[in-house]
Amino acid sequence: MDFTKPLILVSNDDGYHSNGIRTLVSFLTDFADVVVCAPESGRSGFSCAFSVTDYLLLKQRHNIPNCEVWSCTGTPVDCVKLALDQLLKERKPDLILSGINHGDNSSVNNHYSGTMGVAYEGCMKYIPSIAFSSCDYNTEADLSYLRDYVRKIVKKVLTDRLPKGVCLNVNFPKVEKFAGLKVCRMGFGSWTREVERCKHPRGFDYYWLTGHYRNDEPDATDTDQWALNHGYVSVTPTRIDVTDYDMIEKMNTWNTL
């Protein structure tokens, strides 16, 4: 390991073998030391979940050139915890990256996202962290055109760092040419018709969780959804502290109850 280069830990929720993580690493290895620790298989929707009822296994892999690769049998958060505790004992990463996810994690999706779970975990460990996601759901899509923006954002954060308790949620629209970059807030949206009931051939009902996303602020122009719908790369600074400070002021009278 070259201690003159920044050290970047990379994980995801699509698995160590995914096209997105291989592409992301390829953007980094010319200027950084990269260690990958990612799930053995897809863990979409695991958010910040970690394993408490089963043991975990680490296995070294060799599927991505110019970096050290490990797979973990657990969740995305498990991968970060094990990497920091077991693989990187001697050196704390300068940056933790997640992705590139196949599917966007804008709006309320960021609360469910295992991709964001990686960034949240890094942020809670006081390590600057960024989650990258693409609106292209094709798991074999060519994501090489994201290179310039990924590298610019990564190098900016390596130079300027991030405030304690803040990570970045970066989403790329599926367009031929980006309109630019927008730093914006998370939009409000809802998932509707989330459950599909089916009849099993043996007579009982079973259920698929599906859903259709609805933008609940279609006219707002300062949201990540607006940015993506208009061809912009959306960058949303996201806090770990979810306290509503305005509401604390309004609820001060409760202290006399």
Side-chain angles (χ1 to χ4, degrees), residues 94-165:
D94 297 289
L95 188 63
I96 293 179
L97 302 181
S98 184
I100 299 167
N101 190 64
H102 300 287
D104 87 271
N105 282 307
S106 63
S107 184
V108 295
N109 299 327
N110 90 79
H111 292 295
Y112 301 109
S113 165
T115 306
M116 282 302 298
V118 170
Y120 286 137
E121 183 64 19
C123 193
M124 286 188 279
K125 294 289 192 291
Y126 306 119
I127 301 171
S129 300
I130 311 169
F132 292 108
S133 303
S134 168
C135 291
D136 193 332
Y137 284 78
N138 178 4
T139 57
E140 295 304 321
D142 179 6
L143 302 176
S144 61
Y145 68 102
L146 308 184
R147 183 177 187 272
D148 287 347
Y149 272 101
V150 168
R151 286 168 63 91
K152 287 177 182 178
I153 292 168
V154 166
K155 290 183 177 182
K156 184 69 172 172
V157 172
L158 282 171
T159 301
D160 295 350
R161 314 289 286 174
L162 290 170
K164 183 178 75 173

Side-chain angles (χ1 to χ4, degrees), residues 167-192:
C167 57
L168 299 183
N169 181 15
V170 180
N171 288 274
F172 295 93
K174 185 182 177 182
V175 293
E176 291 185 4
K177 185 177 180 180
F178 298 128
L181 181 148
K182 287 279 187 186
V183 178
C184 47
R185 68 175 175 88
M186 184 190 87
F188 280 93
S190 305
W191 283 92
T192 64

